[in-house]
Amino acid sequence: MADWVSLDREYIMSTYSRLPIIIDQAKGNYLIDTNQKRYLDLFTGLAVNILGHSHPYLMNALRAQAERFLHISNFFYNTPAITLAQRLIKETLGEGKVYFCSTGAEATEAAIKSIHKWTVKHQNEKQGVVVLKNSFHGRTHGALRLTRQPGIYQDFPTLPIKIYEVEINDSESLQKVCEENNPAAILVEPILGAGGILPLTPDFLQTVQSICEAKDILFCLDEIQTGVGRTGTLFAYQAYDLRPDLILFAKGIGGGLPLGGIIAGKKLMDTFAPGDHGTTFSPSPLSAALGNAVLDVLLDQNQMEIGKEVADFLWSELQKLQREFGNIVEQINGRGMMIGIVTNLDKSSIQTLQQSFLQEGILINVTAGTVIRLLPPLTLTKQEVSHFITIFHQLLSKME
């Protein structure tokens, strides 16, 4: 058998720290390694596999589209993508247009260019984007400028985009920044993902919208991680009375294949002209077909509602653990199947806990240093929740 670990180290650049398992296949809510050990996947490819792995309906859609064509380029009309764009508009803003790309970072790049084209078109002398401290919007050059995590942006050269950074849920600072400057846009994640699963309060979100409407500032929402049913609604903003001008999406929409984009409302829907932006591989007909299948399962087959019920059960069980082990579990944040368990553990202890879960056949993620990030599939069952909680209780008992 090949020594995949050594080969990985020899031939692949080390941009990620890997968990010590080699995946052979994936079925349902489980990953299976080369030793045939099963792992309950509460990681879901960093929020990508919203319906688990090899979902039968998605696999049928994959085969059907693969038999038609895989790639045709943007010189031809792409019927799966047109259908998906129509559905996304219908389920969100009601009016607008979609630009497709492959990843969340590319969606951010498209947003940056769209905001710029809007300011030039209207000659309103607005400049810059307001973002939140600890936010994450991608690692490509433009997206890196908007990401507010020093460990990510480091000392890479920066683009000349004015950035105004405010603290999460600090309405007073936000108002002050917008009064003292003339920003073109405010871009926020409804729930900060890589920043530690930190939800924006309804009041703060309403403040963002009010400022944008009063000052003709673009209201942009990064729903790359929060979207596609993860928080209980198709997009997280839909739980509030919000009317964004731009929605960034990716991750879950492709059903496991690369797909992302922006949903542009009335202000931005005609910003791009041919040649202003583009990409070779998107919208991939295969990814778009899976996107339509994902919406079928979530909306038409009621999986989003089923997932909400299981998510409620998971939250109630986690809250019981918090009450019992309050000296370790400080707080539980998030919504739906996007959960951050804030611990008082140091980095060494949280890594040990993650490895212990791994030994027990459960995959969890850690973000913001010491926050356990759970991003389960909406196909998770109550039995699987109970198993996870049982193991979690055992591990916390040993630590205590």
Side-chain angles (χ1 to χ4, degrees), residues 146-167:
L146 303 184
T147 292
R148 296 288 89 200
Q149 296 182 26
I152 303 297
Y153 58 71
Q154 301 176 34
D155 60 351
F156 293 113
T158 57
L159 294 179
I161 305 169
K162 285 190 176 181
I163 296 297
Y164 309 100
E165 180 182 308
V166 299
E167 293 281 351

Side-chain angles (χ1 to χ4, degrees), residues 267-322:
K267 285 185 178 181
L268 294 170
M269 60 190 287
D270 294 317
T271 299
F272 285 151
D276 285 344
H277 201 40
T279 176
T280 298
F281 285 102
S282 286
S284 160
L286 206 58
S287 297
L290 279 193
N292 282 307
V294 167
L295 294 186
D296 287 347
V297 176
L298 290 179
L299 303 176
D300 300 340
Q301 299 177 22
N302 209 37
Q303 189 63 56
M304 194 160 67
E305 292 301 316
I306 296 169
K308 281 170 63 176
E309 182 180 340
V310 176
D312 289 343
F313 177 62
L314 174 56
W315 273 87
S316 67
E317 294 299 295
L318 286 172
Q319 287 161 351
K320 291 177 186 176
L321 283 184
Q322 183 188 9

Side-chain angles (χ1 to χ4, degrees), residues 312-363:
D312 289 343
F313 177 62
L314 174 56
W315 273 87
S316 67
E317 294 299 295
L318 286 172
Q319 287 161 351
K320 291 177 186 176
L321 283 184
Q322 183 188 9
R323 288 192 291 270
E324 185 173 352
F325 298 99
N327 58 327
I328 299 176
V329 178
E330 293 184 350
Q331 198 171 346
I332 303 174
N333 295 325
R335 188 153 64 91
M337 291 295 195
M338 184 175 180
I339 302 169
I341 303 169
V342 182
T343 72
N344 65 4
L345 302 172
D346 57 31
K347 288 188 178 180
S348 175
S349 297
I350 199 77
Q351 288 173 359
T352 299
L353 180 61
Q354 185 180 31
Q355 291 297 322
S356 297
F357 269 117
L358 193 64
Q359 292 170 9
E360 295 289 344
I362 297 175
L363 294 172

Side-chain angles (χ1 to χ4, degrees), residues 210-221:
S210 297
I211 291 172
C212 288
E213 290 179 346
K215 296 182 175 293
D216 193 25
I217 297 171
L218 295 172
F219 180 16
C220 306
L221 285 170

